[in-house]
Amino acid sequence: RTPYKVTIRITPLVEREWQKVLAALAERPYFVAQLLAGHMPLDIEEAFQLVKLDLFPGAGELEQECSCPDWADVCKHLAAVHYILAQRFDEDPFLLFRLRGKTQEEIVAALGAAEDRERFTTAADEPPAPAPALSPADFWQLGPELEGFAVHIAAPAEPSPLLERLGA
């Protein structure tokens, strides 16, 4: 009649470990794009393995207990909670990140900041390319790079082709 108390503890990653993971994620544009779009990449575990960490808890990182008198290592109450957790992971894969110590928002913010930093750092490190000297008369002329490229610019036969395509 009294519900049993089920406890599952997962060791979160420390900040130093998260910095390694975020650096590994930032090196993979696909991961960054997916995470910034709010999607969990299917092969996200690769980024963790690159820095010798696991997103999924390994031996010693998962503690579980139930107050029931069952002597089994994983009683039916713990199994039920694991089943519910699995359903929650299907609904919200970012729950894994929260259990490991970071929210989806924190990861997206860190990756977005890293992407901005990289973009601005790269832009600031490179001297601006000098603008080519063009006179207004030469603006529409082809340069030597396009000498063999045939271009014919002419007025359309129909005075308003786009409007004609749209119809009445």
Side-chain angles (χ1 to χ4, degrees):
R1 295 186 181 249
T2 304
Y4 297 116
K5 182 178 179 181
V6 171
T7 305
I8 299 174
R9 286 183 205 89
I10 296 175
T11 305
L13 299 176
V14 296
E15 189 59 32
R16 178 178 35 83
E17 292 171 325
W18 268 114
Q19 292 307 317
K20 290 179 184 178
V21 169
L22 290 169
L25 288 170
E27 290 177 6
R28 303 279 301 270
Y30 170 75
F31 287 160
V32 174
Q34 288 288 305
L35 290 166
L36 292 178
H39 303 290
M40 177 71 78
L42 294 177
D43 47 355
I44 190 78
E45 184 69 13
E46 286 179 17
F48 285 79
Q49 290 171 349
L50 284 173
V51 293
K52 300 187 181 2
L53 293 169
D54 292 308
L55 176 58
F56 299 99
E61 294 181 303
L62 181 68
E63 294 178 36
Q64 50 192 8
E65 56 189 57
C66 181
S67 62
C68 77
D70 193 346
W71 52 267
D73 187 28
V74 177
C75 67
K76 59 187 171 194
H77 311 104
L78 277 168
V81 171
H82 281 287
Y83 180 76
I84 292 168
L85 268 175
Q87 285 180 322
R88 289 285 313 200
F89 291 146
D90 283 343
E91 295 166 11
D92 179 14
F94 289 95
L95 177 59
L96 278 169
F97 284 158
R98 285 197 304 277
L99 292 173
R100 286 308 223 157
K102 288 273 186 209
T103 65
Q104 176 182 2
E105 293 78 18
E106 290 172 319
I107 289 174
V108 167
L111 290 175
E115 184 178 76
D116 289 342
R117 219 174 18 255
E118 182 178 306
R119 188 175 339 136
F120 295 132
T121 302
T122 303
D125 291 345
E126 297 173 1
L134 287 178
S135 69
D138 294 334
F139 184 78
W140 292 107
Q141 302 303 315
L142 297 178
E145 304 87 6
L146 297 176
E147 283 180 5
F149 188 73
V151 176
H152 177 69
I153 300 174
E158 189 69 40
S160 301
L162 183 58
L163 294 176
E164 289 294 322
R165 290 186 70 188
L166 292 174

